[in-house]
Amino acid sequence: SYYCNTQNNTRRTQEEQNNNMMRFFLLLAAYLPVIAASLASGASGSSTIKNVVVVGGTHGNEYTGVWCIKALDRTAAQVAKTYPSLHISTLLANPQAHLENKRFVDDDLNRQFSHEKLSDVVISNSETGQLVPRVPTVESLRAQEINQLLGPKGSGDACQTDVIVDLHSTTSNMGLTIIIPEGDALMAAAAAYVMLKCDGDVKCLMHSHPSKDSRPNLSSTAKHGFTIEVGPVPQGLLRQDAVQKTDQAIHALLDFLHQRNTPASFQQNEELLRNAYPQNRVPCFRSAPAQRPGEMSGKIPWPCDEDNINFPAVLIHPTVQDADFGLVHEGDPLFIDLEGHDIPYSGSHGSPVHLLFVNEGGYYYASSGTGIGVAIDAEFDFQTGLLIQESAAVPVHAAHHHADAALQEQMK
């Protein structure tokens, strides 16, 4: 009996060790692309940043970014004098859509920059693997031009652009929101710095993608990508407050990049960040993973009208409207149907979750991915750019308060 029990215990121990080892390798496999991206991007203090391109009009009817790049062009001499270590240029991304006051002409330009979309061929049949030429559109052709002009994407040191700053506005009540990819240490430190330097409650949204090749957004063409989003702003309209917030964020980022190129200033910034963010932990929101073609991140899709895929078959519930970054729990009202009935949140992305890009006008288009964005409270390490495990994260608003208090104490 003793022998049998010993054998059974030994067998169970071996099985547990094997299972633990298997879980370790599965976890390692899941995080390897992100870790590789972080190593490829380098620590926040490595290599000089030179070529910075500020992009407006990726979506043609988002006028805020177009105004801001025109202002940069008008003041180019002063900008060059203020940030002498940087070569700063601008790009109007989708000039035809901008002239027509449209988000896009054929399809969303900011969904054309994955490795697959930039390829000259596509796989049309998953069974046969047959390759056919991609049908060109205004945006797919423009994406090829931008990739050659600013990239090429994934070319490493041969990439012509160090940082792309992509300027956007949203019809949603997002305020000033910084969007960065997970695993980019430089952009993580930059986001942490911009959040401290800009006025008001600045949010940071971190997108997680399996690899840089899979990212479909324009800013992924460069070695580093940084997106500035401001709202609410109606499409095809200019607001001074939105321009001011965007401009402040642009110059805070340029200031960070320029000081990073100066060893003494860089050390001061590192100390500033360490004091403001204990243990390098920066509060952010982690977006849900993309699940459908055309999505930058996961969304709660709404049903569309059977006669028009770009027309929602529901209304946003009034308790959700304009409440971006607010929490919603499973069972809370989310939509209202044509009969006036509430449609609750199903808990499809977990519960509770934060809602963002609520009733974003651009997300009425199927090619942009319809629905409401979803995110959860998270933190990232500004020295690695990697997300900290959610179980160890503190609520975003509490961490924001701690960072603000630390900065105010330091500046006394």
Side-chain angles (χ1 to χ4, degrees):
S1 174
Y2 172 80
Y3 176 79
C4 291
N5 288 337
T6 301
Q7 287 289 90
N8 289 336
N9 290 336
T10 301
R11 188 179 299 110
R12 282 195 296 269
T13 300
Q14 290 175 342
E15 290 175 352
E16 290 173 358
Q17 291 175 343
N18 291 338
N19 289 336
N20 288 336
M21 186 66 71
M22 181 63 71
R23 282 192 290 267
F24 169 78
F25 282 116
L26 289 173
L27 185 63
L28 181 63
Y31 274 91
L32 272 177
V34 174
I35 294 171
S38 179
L39 293 174
S41 69
S44 59
S46 64
S47 70
T48 301
I49 293 297
K50 184 65 177 178
N51 294 316
V52 179
V53 180
V54 184
V55 178
T58 299
H59 296 131
N61 57 5
E62 295 179 9
Y63 282 5
T64 303
V66 179
W67 179 278
C68 288
I69 63 172
K70 287 179 178 290
L72 284 173
D73 289 341
R74 184 65 63 92
T75 59
Q78 181 59 44
V79 170
K81 183 178 179 180
T82 305
Y83 313 109
S85 69
L86 304 176
H87 179 269
I88 302 165
S89 57
T90 65
L91 176 72
L92 177 59
N94 198 338
Q96 184 171 338
H98 176 61
L99 286 173
E100 298 181 19
N101 191 18
K102 294 179 177 178
R103 181 176 174 87
F104 51 80
V105 178
D106 293 319
D107 42 22
D108 196 328
L109 178 61
N110 211 33
R111 305 294 185 269
Q112 304 301 313
F113 292 90
S114 66
H115 179 75
E116 178 186 358
K117 286 286 186 72
L118 289 172
S119 300
D120 293 328
V121 295
V122 295
I123 298 176
S124 63
N125 189 312
S126 59
E127 294 181 359
T128 65
Q130 181 183 4
L131 300 179
V132 297
R134 185 181 297 279
V135 177
T137 65
V138 168
E139 279 73 24
S140 67
L141 293 174
R142 181 58 174 162
Q144 297 283 349
E145 294 173 356
I146 292 173
N147 186 49
Q148 292 304 313
L149 182 65
L150 305 184
K153 179 173 179 173
S155 58
D157 291 339
C159 183
Q160 301 171 76
T161 308
D162 293 310
V163 179
I164 288 178
V165 189
D166 197 11
L167 309 179
H168 289 264
S169 57
T170 172
T171 60
S172 302
N173 190 26
M174 297 272 288
L176 174 56
T177 302
I178 305 304
I179 304 176
I180 57 174
E182 183 184 7
D184 190 323
L186 176 65
M187 294 297 95
Y193 183 83
V194 171
M195 291 167 71
L196 291 178
K197 291 295 183 178
C198 289
D199 298 330
D201 185 18
V202 184
K203 305 291 198 307
C204 180
L205 177 65
M206 181 170 276
H207 284 322
S208 296
H209 287 274
S211 68
K212 187 173 183 177
D213 282 348
S214 67
R215 297 175 193 161
N217 53 317
L218 186 152
S219 63
S220 68
T221 306
K223 296 175 184 176
H224 307 278
F226 193 93
T227 298
I228 299 172
E229 188 89 48
V230 176
V233 182
Q235 295 175 342
L237 184 145
L238 285 166
R239 287 183 53 133
Q240 187 276 338
D241 56 347
V243 168
Q244 184 178 23
K245 289 178 181 178
T246 304
D247 187 64
Q248 187 180 42
I250 293 170
H251 284 280
L253 174 62
L254 295 177
D255 181 55
F256 171 84
L257 295 174
H258 170 59
Q259 291 193 51
R260 176 188 174 280
N261 290 335
T262 308
S265 298
F266 171 71
Q267 290 176 2
Q268 292 176 358
N269 279 345
E270 284 280 297
E271 183 177 354
L272 172 69
L273 294 181
R274 283 195 297 269
N275 289 335
Y277 303 106
Q279 298 179 317
N280 304 338
R281 301 163 77 97
V282 182
C284 70
F285 296 88
R286 179 181 68 79
S287 61
Q291 297 178 347
R292 300 173 297 166
E295 288 185 335
M296 273 294 297
S297 58
K299 298 190 184 80
I300 302 171
W302 53 54
C304 295
D305 187 88
E306 60 183 13
D307 297 322
N308 182 357
I309 61 171
N310 296 323
F311 190 85
V314 293
L315 298 172
I316 301 295
H317 197 276
T319 59
V320 174
Q321 181 64 54
D322 300 324
D324 292 78
F325 296 103
L327 281 173
V328 64
H329 296 75
E330 182 177 357
D332 288 348
L334 193 60
F335 303 118
I336 300 175
D337 66 18
L338 284 167
E339 287 76 33
H341 301 137
D342 289 353
I343 301 175
Y345 170 52
S346 66
S348 57
H349 290 273
S351 179
V353 293
H354 294 273
L355 301 182
L356 55 153
F357 290 107
V358 177
N359 215 2
E360 156 58 29
Y363 292 171
Y364 278 48
Y365 298 101
S367 69
S368 297
T370 58
I372 300 176
V374 182
I376 62 170
D377 284 323
E379 292 177 310
F380 64 84
D381 186 320
F382 72 77
Q383 288 194 326
T384 66
L386 296 175
L387 283 162
I388 298 170
Q389 289 186 358
E390 285 77 7
S391 59
V394 300
V396 164
H397 298 296
H400 267 299
H401 176 75
H402 183 88
D404 292 342
L407 178 62
Q408 291 172 7
E409 184 65 26
Q410 182 181 357
M411 296 179 71
K412 286 181 179 179

